[in-house]
PDB file of all heavy atoms in Angstrom:
ATOM      1  N   MET D 192      65.006   0.877 -33.528  1.00 87.00           N
ATOM      2  CA  MET D 192      63.990   0.198 -34.187  1.00 87.00           C
ATOM      3  C   MET D 192      62.799  -0.076 -33.247  1.00 87.00           C
ATOM      4  O   MET D 192      62.403  -1.244 -33.023  1.00 87.00           O
ATOM      5  CB  MET D 192      64.453  -1.076 -34.777  1.00 87.00           C
ATOM      6  CG  MET D 192      65.439  -0.976 -35.898  1.00 87.00           C
ATOM      7  SD  MET D 192      66.022  -2.527 -36.584  1.00 87.00           S
ATOM      8  CE  MET D 192      64.466  -3.245 -37.259  1.00 87.00           C
ATOM      9  N   PRO D 193      62.321   0.947 -32.530  1.00 86.00           N
ATOM     10  CA  PRO D 193      61.242   0.699 -31.557  1.00 86.00           C
ATOM     11  C   PRO D 193      60.016   0.244 -32.334  1.00 86.00           C
ATOM     12  O   PRO D 193      59.762   0.741 -33.430  1.00 86.00           O
ATOM     13  CB  PRO D 193      61.023   2.049 -31.014  1.00 86.00           C
ATOM     14  CG  PRO D 193      61.477   3.111 -31.853  1.00 86.00           C
ATOM     15  CD  PRO D 193      62.623   2.403 -32.676  1.00 86.00           C
ATOM     16  N   LEU D 194      59.243  -0.748 -31.791  1.00 85.00           N
ATOM     17  CA  LEU D 194      58.000  -1.162 -32.404  1.00 85.00           C
ATOM     18  C   LEU D 194      56.810  -0.231 -32.023  1.00 85.00           C
ATOM     19  O   LEU D 194      56.797   0.141 -30.986  1.00 85.00           O
ATOM     20  CB  LEU D 194      57.711  -2.575 -32.013  1.00 85.00           C
ATOM     21  CG  LEU D 194      58.752  -3.717 -32.489  1.00 85.00           C
ATOM     22  CD1 LEU D 194      58.287  -4.985 -32.017  1.00 85.00           C
ATOM     23  CD2 LEU D 194      58.710  -3.726 -34.015  1.00 85.00           C
ATOM     24  N   ALA D 195      55.970  -0.060 -33.039  1.00 81.00           N
ATOM     25  CA  ALA D 195      54.838   0.838 -32.806  1.00 81.00           C
ATOM     26  C   ALA D 195      53.952   0.356 -31.699  1.00 81.00           C
ATOM     27  O   ALA D 195      53.343   1.148 -30.964  1.00 81.00           O
ATOM     28  CB  ALA D 195      54.154   1.032 -34.031  1.00 81.00           C
ATOM     29  N   ASP D 196      53.778  -0.918 -31.485  1.00 83.00           N
ATOM     30  CA  ASP D 196      52.799  -1.443 -30.532  1.00 83.00           C
ATOM     31  C   ASP D 196      53.407  -1.567 -29.079  1.00 83.00           C
ATOM     32  O   ASP D 196      52.835  -2.040 -28.218  1.00 83.00           O
ATOM     33  CB  ASP D 196      52.352  -2.892 -30.987  1.00 83.00           C
ATOM     34  CG  ASP D 196      53.453  -3.848 -31.099  1.00 83.00           C
ATOM     35  OD1 ASP D 196      54.573  -3.571 -30.746  1.00 83.00           O
ATOM     36  OD2 ASP D 196      53.174  -4.973 -31.714  1.00 83.00           O
ATOM     37  N   GLY D 197      54.669  -1.057 -28.938  1.00 80.00           N
ATOM     38  CA  GLY D 197      55.328  -1.005 -27.656  1.00 80.00           C
ATOM     39  C   GLY D 197      55.985  -2.233 -27.202  1.00 80.00           C
ATOM     40  O   GLY D 197      56.647  -2.334 -26.129  1.00 80.00           O
ATOM     41  N   THR D 198      55.809  -3.384 -27.937  1.00 85.00           N
ATOM     42  CA  THR D 198      56.561  -4.606 -27.586  1.00 85.00           C
ATOM     43  C   THR D 198      58.008  -4.614 -27.921  1.00 85.00           C
ATOM     44  O   THR D 198      58.441  -3.656 -28.657  1.00 85.00           O
ATOM     45  CB  THR D 198      55.925  -5.870 -28.337  1.00 85.00           C
ATOM     46  OG1 THR D 198      56.018  -5.598 -29.793  1.00 85.00           O
ATOM     47  CG2 THR D 198      54.470  -6.067 -27.963  1.00 85.00           C
ATOM     48  N   SER D 199      58.747  -5.541 -27.332  1.00 89.00           N
ATOM     49  CA  SER D 199      60.221  -5.378 -27.523  1.00 89.00           C
ATOM     50  C   SER D 199      60.691  -5.947 -28.808  1.00 89.00           C
ATOM     51  O   SER D 199      60.447  -7.056 -29.242  1.00 89.00           O
ATOM     52  CB  SER D 199      60.863  -6.180 -26.376  1.00 89.00           C
ATOM     53  OG  SER D 199      62.241  -6.417 -26.686  1.00 89.00           O
ATOM     54  N   ILE D 200      61.460  -5.106 -29.618  1.00 89.00           N
ATOM     55  CA  ILE D 200      61.978  -5.537 -30.883  1.00 89.00           C
ATOM     56  C   ILE D 200      63.054  -6.646 -30.709  1.00 89.00           C
ATOM     57  O   ILE D 200      63.165  -7.558 -31.445  1.00 89.00           O
ATOM     58  CB  ILE D 200      62.558  -4.367 -31.664  1.00 89.00           C
ATOM     59  CG1 ILE D 200      63.194  -4.817 -33.093  1.00 89.00           C
ATOM     60  CG2 ILE D 200      63.611  -3.656 -30.941  1.00 89.00           C
ATOM     61  CD1 ILE D 200      62.120  -5.150 -34.048  1.00 89.00           C
ATOM     62  N   VAL D 201      63.828  -6.556 -29.522  1.00 92.00           N
ATOM     63  CA  VAL D 201      64.827  -7.508 -29.285  1.00 92.00           C
ATOM     64  C   VAL D 201      64.160  -8.836 -28.943  1.00 92.00           C
ATOM     65  O   VAL D 201      64.674  -9.812 -29.609  1.00 92.00           O
ATOM     66  CB  VAL D 201      65.659  -7.017 -27.949  1.00 92.00           C
ATOM     67  CG1 VAL D 201      66.655  -8.070 -27.579  1.00 92.00           C
ATOM     68  CG2 VAL D 201      66.268  -5.660 -28.219  1.00 92.00           C
ATOM     69  N   ALA D 202      63.170  -8.898 -28.187  1.00 92.00           N
ATOM     70  CA  ALA D 202      62.507 -10.261 -27.903  1.00 92.00           C
ATOM     71  C   ALA D 202      62.002 -10.758 -29.206  1.00 92.00           C
ATOM     72  O   ALA D 202      62.104 -11.995 -29.478  1.00 92.00           O
ATOM     73  CB  ALA D 202      61.459 -10.009 -26.815  1.00 92.00           C
ATOM     74  N   LYS D 203      61.374  -9.824 -29.998  1.00 89.00           N
ATOM     75  CA  LYS D 203      60.692 -10.362 -31.258  1.00 89.00           C
ATOM     76  C   LYS D 203      61.825 -10.911 -32.243  1.00 89.00           C
ATOM     77  O   LYS D 203      61.561 -12.034 -32.759  1.00 89.00           O
ATOM     78  CB  LYS D 203      60.027  -9.189 -31.942  1.00 89.00           C
ATOM     79  CG  LYS D 203      59.297  -9.496 -33.226  1.00 89.00           C
ATOM     80  CD  LYS D 203      58.659  -8.254 -33.720  1.00 89.00           C
ATOM     81  CE  LYS D 203      57.841  -8.504 -35.041  1.00 89.00           C
ATOM     82  NZ  LYS D 203      58.748  -8.710 -36.169  1.00 89.00           N
ATOM     83  N   LEU D 204      62.906 -10.261 -32.383  1.00 89.00           N
ATOM     84  CA  LEU D 204      63.904 -10.805 -33.291  1.00 89.00           C
ATOM     85  C   LEU D 204      64.592 -12.062 -32.753  1.00 89.00           C
ATOM     86  O   LEU D 204      64.875 -12.997 -33.512  1.00 89.00           O
ATOM     87  CB  LEU D 204      65.008  -9.724 -33.520  1.00 89.00           C
ATOM     88  CG  LEU D 204      64.487  -8.520 -34.445  1.00 89.00           C
ATOM     89  CD1 LEU D 204      65.575  -7.418 -34.547  1.00 89.00           C
ATOM     90  CD2 LEU D 204      64.100  -9.027 -35.848  1.00 89.00           C
ATOM     91  N   GLU D 205      64.762 -12.065 -31.372  1.00 91.00           N
ATOM     92  CA  GLU D 205      65.458 -13.297 -30.912  1.00 91.00           C
ATOM     93  C   GLU D 205      64.520 -14.458 -31.071  1.00 91.00           C
ATOM     94  O   GLU D 205      64.902 -15.575 -31.401  1.00 91.00           O
ATOM     95  CB  GLU D 205      65.662 -13.053 -29.305  1.00 91.00           C
ATOM     96  CG  GLU D 205      66.898 -12.188 -29.177  1.00 91.00           C
ATOM     97  CD  GLU D 205      67.227 -11.892 -27.756  1.00 91.00           C
ATOM     98  OE1 GLU D 205      66.371 -12.138 -26.847  1.00 91.00           O
ATOM     99  OE2 GLU D 205      68.335 -11.366 -27.448  1.00 91.00           O
ATOM    100  N   ALA D 206      63.159 -14.323 -30.890  1.00 90.00           N
ATOM    101  CA  ALA D 206      62.192 -15.372 -31.131  1.00 90.00           C
ATOM    102  C   ALA D 206      62.268 -15.905 -32.523  1.00 90.00           C
ATOM    103  O   ALA D 206      62.305 -17.021 -32.766  1.00 90.00           O
ATOM    104  CB  ALA D 206      60.801 -14.874 -30.701  1.00 90.00           C
ATOM    105  N   GLU D 207      62.288 -14.900 -33.440  1.00 85.00           N
ATOM    106  CA  GLU D 207      62.463 -15.296 -34.887  1.00 85.00           C
ATOM    107  C   GLU D 207      63.703 -16.069 -35.193  1.00 85.00           C
ATOM    108  O   GLU D 207      63.690 -16.911 -35.991  1.00 85.00           O
ATOM    109  CB  GLU D 207      62.261 -13.967 -35.747  1.00 85.00           C
ATOM    110  CG  GLU D 207      60.963 -13.467 -35.969  1.00 85.00           C
ATOM    111  CD  GLU D 207      60.981 -12.041 -36.797  1.00 85.00           C
ATOM    112  OE1 GLU D 207      61.973 -11.923 -37.480  1.00 85.00           O
ATOM    113  OE2 GLU D 207      59.951 -11.420 -36.732  1.00 85.00           O
ATOM    114  N   ALA D 208      64.742 -15.541 -34.524  1.00 86.00           N
ATOM    115  CA  ALA D 208      66.102 -16.166 -34.890  1.00 86.00           C
ATOM    116  C   ALA D 208      66.056 -17.667 -34.359  1.00 86.00           C
ATOM    117  O   ALA D 208      66.482 -18.606 -35.169  1.00 86.00           O
ATOM    118  CB  ALA D 208      67.236 -15.390 -34.181  1.00 86.00           C
ATOM    119  N   TYR D 209      65.473 -17.900 -33.171  1.00 88.00           N
ATOM    120  CA  TYR D 209      65.414 -19.189 -32.597  1.00 88.00           C
ATOM    121  C   TYR D 209      64.544 -20.111 -33.484  1.00 88.00           C
ATOM    122  O   TYR D 209      64.795 -21.257 -33.808  1.00 88.00           O
ATOM    123  CB  TYR D 209      64.891 -19.204 -31.164  1.00 88.00           C
ATOM    124  CG  TYR D 209      66.005 -18.663 -30.221  1.00 88.00           C
ATOM    125  CD1 TYR D 209      65.773 -17.648 -29.370  1.00 88.00           C
ATOM    126  CD2 TYR D 209      67.192 -19.398 -30.195  1.00 88.00           C
ATOM    127  CE1 TYR D 209      66.822 -17.152 -28.560  1.00 88.00           C
ATOM    128  CE2 TYR D 209      68.284 -18.957 -29.232  1.00 88.00           C
ATOM    129  CZ  TYR D 209      67.958 -17.896 -28.449  1.00 88.00           C
ATOM    130  OH  TYR D 209      69.038 -17.464 -27.710  1.00 88.00           O
ATOM    131  N   ALA D 210      63.382 -19.434 -33.982  1.00 85.00           N
ATOM    132  CA  ALA D 210      62.420 -20.198 -34.869  1.00 85.00           C
ATOM    133  C   ALA D 210      63.150 -20.639 -36.116  1.00 85.00           C
ATOM    134  O   ALA D 210      62.792 -21.687 -36.701  1.00 85.00           O
ATOM    135  CB  ALA D 210      61.256 -19.328 -35.132  1.00 85.00           C
ATOM    136  N   ASN D 211      64.127 -19.827 -36.660  1.00 79.00           N
ATOM    137  CA  ASN D 211      64.849 -20.080 -37.857  1.00 79.00           C
ATOM    138  C   ASN D 211      66.155 -20.793 -37.600  1.00 79.00           C
ATOM    139  O   ASN D 211      66.941 -20.918 -38.500  1.00 79.00           O
ATOM    140  CB  ASN D 211      65.081 -18.803 -38.640  1.00 79.00           C
ATOM    141  CG  ASN D 211      63.784 -18.263 -39.191  1.00 79.00           C
ATOM    142  OD1 ASN D 211      63.121 -18.912 -39.985  1.00 79.00           O
ATOM    143  ND2 ASN D 211      63.487 -17.076 -38.836  1.00 79.00           N
ATOM    144  N   ASN D 212      66.416 -21.150 -36.286  1.00 83.00           N
ATOM    145  CA  ASN D 212      67.635 -21.742 -35.975  1.00 83.00           C
ATOM    146  C   ASN D 212      68.879 -20.968 -36.347  1.00 83.00           C
ATOM    147  O   ASN D 212      69.847 -21.513 -36.951  1.00 83.00           O
ATOM    148  CB  ASN D 212      67.757 -23.243 -36.519  1.00 83.00           C
ATOM    149  CG  ASN D 212      68.809 -24.054 -35.849  1.00 83.00           C
ATOM    150  OD1 ASN D 212      69.179 -23.823 -34.720  1.00 83.00           O
ATOM    151  ND2 ASN D 212      69.378 -25.051 -36.568  1.00 83.00           N
ATOM    152  N   ALA D 213      68.665 -19.675 -36.169  1.00 83.00           N
ATOM    153  CA  ALA D 213      69.834 -18.720 -36.706  1.00 83.00           C
ATOM    154  C   ALA D 213      70.552 -18.158 -35.431  1.00 83.00           C
ATOM    155  O   ALA D 213      69.984 -18.198 -34.276  1.00 83.00           O
ATOM    156  CB  ALA D 213      69.152 -17.635 -37.450  1.00 83.00           C
ATOM    157  N   ASN D 214      71.725 -17.680 -35.622  1.00 88.00           N
ATOM    158  CA  ASN D 214      72.418 -16.957 -34.533  1.00 88.00           C
ATOM    159  C   ASN D 214      71.748 -15.667 -34.215  1.00 88.00           C
ATOM    160  O   ASN D 214      71.647 -14.785 -35.107  1.00 88.00           O
ATOM    161  CB  ASN D 214      73.863 -16.697 -35.089  1.00 88.00           C
ATOM    162  CG  ASN D 214      74.708 -15.951 -34.185  1.00 88.00           C
ATOM    163  OD1 ASN D 214      74.294 -15.236 -33.223  1.00 88.00           O
ATOM    164  ND2 ASN D 214      76.102 -16.117 -34.233  1.00 88.00           N
ATOM    165  N   PRO D 215      71.161 -15.559 -32.984  1.00 89.00           N
ATOM    166  CA  PRO D 215      70.363 -14.384 -32.623  1.00 89.00           C
ATOM    167  C   PRO D 215      71.160 -13.006 -32.831  1.00 89.00           C
ATOM    168  O   PRO D 215      70.530 -12.114 -33.231  1.00 89.00           O
ATOM    169  CB  PRO D 215      70.048 -14.629 -31.228  1.00 89.00           C
ATOM    170  CG  PRO D 215      70.295 -15.986 -30.911  1.00 89.00           C
ATOM    171  CD  PRO D 215      71.330 -16.506 -31.871  1.00 89.00           C
ATOM    172  N   ARG D 216      72.437 -13.064 -32.514  1.00 90.00           N
ATOM    173  CA  ARG D 216      73.156 -11.790 -32.475  1.00 90.00           C
ATOM    174  C   ARG D 216      73.317 -11.343 -34.001  1.00 90.00           C
ATOM    175  O   ARG D 216      73.133 -10.231 -34.269  1.00 90.00           O
ATOM    176  CB  ARG D 216      74.579 -12.047 -31.874  1.00 90.00           C
ATOM    177  CG  ARG D 216      75.200 -10.734 -31.389  1.00 90.00           C
ATOM    178  CD  ARG D 216      76.562 -10.934 -30.945  1.00 90.00           C
ATOM    179  NE  ARG D 216      76.592 -11.548 -29.649  1.00 90.00           N
ATOM    180  CZ  ARG D 216      77.687 -11.549 -28.822  1.00 90.00           C
ATOM    181  NH1 ARG D 216      78.830 -10.939 -29.252  1.00 90.00           N
ATOM    182  NH2 ARG D 216      77.785 -12.298 -27.783  1.00 90.00           N
ATOM    183  N   LEU D 217      73.677 -12.342 -34.786  1.00 89.00           N
ATOM    184  CA  LEU D 217      73.834 -11.970 -36.252  1.00 89.00           C
ATOM    185  C   LEU D 217      72.408 -11.602 -36.876  1.00 89.00           C
ATOM    186  O   LEU D 217      72.373 -10.700 -37.690  1.00 89.00           O
ATOM    187  CB  LEU D 217      74.383 -13.107 -37.036  1.00 89.00           C
ATOM    188  CG  LEU D 217      74.876 -12.960 -38.398  1.00 89.00           C
ATOM    189  CD1 LEU D 217      75.943 -11.875 -38.465  1.00 89.00           C
ATOM    190  CD2 LEU D 217      75.386 -14.293 -39.058  1.00 89.00           C
ATOM    191  N   TYR D 218      71.449 -12.225 -36.452  1.00 89.00           N
ATOM    192  CA  TYR D 218      70.054 -11.939 -36.985  1.00 89.00           C
ATOM    193  C   TYR D 218      69.664 -10.537 -36.581  1.00 89.00           C
ATOM    194  O   TYR D 218      69.169  -9.814 -37.379  1.00 89.00           O
ATOM    195  CB  TYR D 218      69.014 -12.881 -36.309  1.00 89.00           C
ATOM    196  CG  TYR D 218      67.723 -13.040 -36.996  1.00 89.00           C
ATOM    197  CD1 TYR D 218      67.467 -13.946 -37.967  1.00 89.00           C
ATOM    198  CD2 TYR D 218      66.659 -12.301 -36.495  1.00 89.00           C
ATOM    199  CE1 TYR D 218      66.292 -14.072 -38.524  1.00 89.00           C
ATOM    200  CE2 TYR D 218      65.391 -12.362 -37.179  1.00 89.00           C
ATOM    201  CZ  TYR D 218      65.210 -13.287 -38.164  1.00 89.00           C
ATOM    202  OH  TYR D 218      64.027 -13.288 -38.798  1.00 89.00           O
TER     203      TYR D 218
END
Side-chain angles (χ1 to χ4, degrees):
Chain D
M192 295 178 65
L194 292 177
D196 59 8
T198 55
S199 166
I200 180 76
V201 175
K203 180 178 181 285
L204 289 175
E205 283 178 349
E207 282 179 15
Y209 286 121
N211 289 303
N212 196 23
N214 178 335
R216 204 187 288 195
L217 192 59
Y218 197 88

